[in-house]
């Protein structure tokens, strides 16, 4: 099943080189030592949330599934590896037949997470799992950071629509992924046509200041836009004098004018003045859209303003100051030998400075209080306590190398809204604070 099965028009190309050089050299050494086939368990988690954040958002799971499905070493890729002498011939022969045949479990996309949450668990042979480390982290770290920023912004917007407008502020391909993550986190539309084409996200847009400056007068520009796009269009009113532009806009489009956009100045003050002027001119249903380098704090500060929608660019696509989720991909268990039935042995790196890991294959569940509100993230090894069996968070994503949990983006978007609503009210506060749920660890047996 590929993206085409969801009605989407673009397939993902080979992702085999979206990896680090040392993944392949580890594979070569493991093949030579005879350990590459050992059954292994890798987990993705983060040791901490970005400073002051109260929850994280799992973003990019659907893109990870596409990446794993398309992780193939074709002739051109193998030729590159051979010419660069990255690995030897036996390893190249092994890579030529590479297909991930293991299992992947994870938090479903849109779910919230906390420090230590086993966001994704990859199981299979060491060789097939280790190659996926970089591409999985690349996707999850980027998309989860953007989704978390989008979630905070959508919470601050209190139901008002949010437009993603950050394509010109980041790499052209990252922009498409950012738009997807923003929609997941609560944004309603995007200006990026590539994101609309690829992920079926609603796209919007009308004109920039250049269109007004092109014409001999603002009146001529507004007339041209209304004649072409209709009275329900959005007119940009801050190129010259805002009050004069609003007056001209209503004269040309009438009270049926769809929206005006404000992109500069004291947005709180200007929005109030524009709303008052529109109402006096009879355009009571004309909406006000504000842009201008907004973040969640600026959006929250406009809560009392007569603003109908927000357009957000730079701060969104850079994670509002936190462009990565700092997730890691660690081996937590491996078989004691290459035998198919060999039991798993928990393993973990011993280190200081906040880089500790906990060995063993994990499960995770969210405990609720008497009112049905989440009160703790419980992570453990071994059997799941009876009281938590119905609250488990990990779902099967890939079974025996086959994707089994691909879903429409809207499903993940709805899941996130529900997950966020199930957190304590303090989760959506913008003031600095600790994770809204504590992470509790339960060890019951080997976790194999």
């Amino acid at each position: 099943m590929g993206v085409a099965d969801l009605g989407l028009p673009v397939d993902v190309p080979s992702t085999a080189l979206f990896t680090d050089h040392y993944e392949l050299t580890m594979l070569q050494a493991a093949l030579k030592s005879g350990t590459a086939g050992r059954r292994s368990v890798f987990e993705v988690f983060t040791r901490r949330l970005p400073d002051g954040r109260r929850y994280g958002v799992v973003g990019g799971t659907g893109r990870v599934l596409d990446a794993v499905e398309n992780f193939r070493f074709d002739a051109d890729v193998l030729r590159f590896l051979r010419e660069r002498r990255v690995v030897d011939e036996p390893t190249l022969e092994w890579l030529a037949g590479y297909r991930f045949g293991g299992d992947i479990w994870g938090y479903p996309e849109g779910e919230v997470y906390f420090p230590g949450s086993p966001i994704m668990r990859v199981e299979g042979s060491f060789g097939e799992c280790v190659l996926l480390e970089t591409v999985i982290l690349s996707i999850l770290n980027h998309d989860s950071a953007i989704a978390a920023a989008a979630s905070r912004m959508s919470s601050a917007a209190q139901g008002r629509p949010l437009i993603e407008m950050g394509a010109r502020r980041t790499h052209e391909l990252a922009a498409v992924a950012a738009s997807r993550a923003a929609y997941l986190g609560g944004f309603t539309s995007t200006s990026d046509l590539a994101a609309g084409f690829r992920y079926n996200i609603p796209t919007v847009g009308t004109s920039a200041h250049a269109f007004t400056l092109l014409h001999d007068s603002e009146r001529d520009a507004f007339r041209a836009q209304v004649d072409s796009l209709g009275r329900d269009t959005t007119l940009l009113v801050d190129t010259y004098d805002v009050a004069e532009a609003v007056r001209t806009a209503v004269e040309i489009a009438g009270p049926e004018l769809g929206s005006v956009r404000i992109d500069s100045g004291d947005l709180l003050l200007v929005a109030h003045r524009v709303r008052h002027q529109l109402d006096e001119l009879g355009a009571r249903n004309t909406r006000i859209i504000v842009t201008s380098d907004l973040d969640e704090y600026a959006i929250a500060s406009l809560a009392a303003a007569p603003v109908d929608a927000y357009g957000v660019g730079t701060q969104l696509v850079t994670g509002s100051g936190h462009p990565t989720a700092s997730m890691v991909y660690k081996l937590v268990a491996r078989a004691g030998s290459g035998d198919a039935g060999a039991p798993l042995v928990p393993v973990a790196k011993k280190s200081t400075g906040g880089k500790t890991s906990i060995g063993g294959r994990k499960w995770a569940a969210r405990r609720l209080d008497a009112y049905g509100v989440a009160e703790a993230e419980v992570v453990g090894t071994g059997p799941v306590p009876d009281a938590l069996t119905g609250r488990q968070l990990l779902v099967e994503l890939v079974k025996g190398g086959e994707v089994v949990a691909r879903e429409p983006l809207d499903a993940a978007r709805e899941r996130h809204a529900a997950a966020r609503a199930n957190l304590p009210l303090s989760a959506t506060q913008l003031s600095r604070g600790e994770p809204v749920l504590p992470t509790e660890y339960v060890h019951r047996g080997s976790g194999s």
Side-chain angles (χ1 to χ4, degrees):
M1 183 181 186
V3 290
D5 295 290
L6 296 179
L8 304 179
V10 181
D11 285 323
V12 178
S14 171
T15 53
L17 290 183
F18 292 164
T19 191
D20 286 310
H21 187 117
Y22 79 169
E23 312 289 11
L24 298 188
T25 54
M26 280 193 288
L27 171 65
Q28 176 177 312
L31 286 170
K32 189 170 184 178
S33 70
T35 55
R38 282 191 179 186
R39 181 180 169 216
S40 300
V41 180
F42 287 81
E43 288 177 352
V44 177
F45 63 94
T46 185
R47 297 182 176 96
R48 65 190 66 84
L49 298 179
D51 190 29
R53 296 282 176 91
R54 299 181 181 229
Y55 62 93
V57 180
V58 179
T61 307
R63 296 207 308 122
V64 167
L65 298 181
D66 291 339
V68 171
E69 200 168 52
N70 290 278
F71 205 91
R72 304 283 187 268
F73 293 83
D74 58 28
D76 289 338
V77 170
L78 293 170
R79 184 180 306 111
F80 165 79
L81 296 175
R82 181 176 289 108
E83 290 173 352
R84 295 295 181 93
R85 297 184 179 179
V86 176
V87 290
D88 60 18
E89 283 300 324
T91 305
L92 289 172
E93 291 176 11
W94 190 93
L95 292 173
Y98 179 86
R99 298 289 186 275
F100 179 73
D103 303 327
I104 300 178
W105 290 71
Y107 281 38
E109 191 161 21
E111 184 58 85
V112 296
Y113 69 87
F114 300 91
S117 297
I119 296 161
M120 186 168 287
R121 190 176 74 218
V122 182
E123 303 186 30
S125 70
F126 176 84
E128 64 183 337
C129 295
V130 74
L131 294 182
L132 300 177
E133 174 181 8
T134 304
V135 69
I136 287 177
L137 288 180
S138 176
I139 293 171
L140 292 181
N141 270 316
H142 174 269
D143 290 22
S144 296
I146 306 304
S151 178
R152 285 164 60 85
M153 292 174 188
S154 66
S155 177
Q158 299 180 3
R160 295 171 178 174
L162 289 158
I163 307 165
E164 185 278 311
M165 303 171 65
R168 63 191 61 195
R169 302 301 187 198
T170 189
H171 185 280
E172 67 272 17
L173 298 181
V176 181
S179 180
R180 181 186 183 280
Y183 187 69
L184 163 68
F187 275 58
T188 52
S189 57
T190 180
S191 66
D192 192 334
L193 289 175
F197 178 71
R198 185 172 190 82
Y199 296 116
N200 200 30
I201 300 169
T203 60
V204 296
T206 50
S207 68
H209 293 103
F211 185 78
T212 301
L213 296 170
L214 168 69
H215 292 79
D216 294 335
S217 69
E218 194 168 51
R219 178 177 293 274
D220 289 344
F222 287 177
R223 170 59 66 191
Q225 185 173 327
V226 170
D227 286 348
S228 176
L229 301 177
R231 297 177 185 271
D232 194 40
T233 191
T234 298
L235 295 176
L236 181 59
V237 295
D238 72 330
T239 306
Y240 304 117
D241 179 84
V242 173
E244 181 62 28
V246 171
R247 186 178 303 110
T248 302
V250 177
E251 285 179 8
I252 291 173
E256 298 84 9
L257 174 62
S259 306
V260 295
R261 178 162 75 93
I262 306 166
D263 189 51
S264 59
D266 184 336
L267 296 179
L268 180 61
L269 176 63
V270 176
H272 278 287
R273 288 177 175 174
V274 168
R275 181 74 271 158
H276 179 72
Q277 186 181 9
L278 287 170
D279 291 347
E280 282 194 331
L281 294 171
R284 296 182 178 277
N285 293 322
T286 298
R287 300 175 297 275
I288 297 175
I289 300 171
V290 296
T291 51
S292 187
D293 208 25
L294 300 176
D295 62 9
E296 61 265 49
Y297 301 101
I299 292 169
S301 74
L302 292 168
V307 172
D308 297 285
Y310 307 92
V312 189
T314 302
Q315 293 301 316
L316 175 72
V317 299
T318 57
S320 196
H322 298 286
T324 178
S326 299
M327 295 177 186
V328 295
Y329 182 97
K330 296 297 181 183
L331 181 67
V332 297
R334 50 87 175 166
S337 71
D339 295 339
L344 289 175
V345 178
V347 294
K349 172 185 176 182
K350 290 184 178 180
S351 63
T352 58
K355 284 196 170 185
T356 56
S357 301
I358 298 175
R361 181 211 274 145
K362 318 290 190 312
W363 50 262
R366 192 160 297 148
R367 192 174 67 239
L368 308 182
D369 65 15
Y371 300 96
V373 177
E375 67 175 6
E377 193 88 338
V378 185
V379 177
T381 59
V384 181
D386 292 342
L388 295 175
T389 54
R391 301 296 309 169
Q392 293 188 72
L393 293 165
L394 278 78
V395 300
E396 194 168 31
L397 302 171
V398 176
K399 182 176 183 179
E402 298 294 326
V403 174
V404 295
R406 188 172 274 115
E407 62 183 2
L409 183 56
D410 278 322
R413 172 184 166 88
E414 292 168 6
R415 179 182 296 114
H416 174 63
R420 188 177 66 188
N422 192 236
L423 295 175
L425 289 176
S426 58
T428 56
Q429 292 178 347
L430 295 181
S431 57
R432 297 170 67 85
E434 297 300 314
V436 72
L437 296 187
T439 303
E440 300 177 359
Y441 291 97
V442 177
H443 179 68
R444 306 180 76 193
S446 67
S448 63

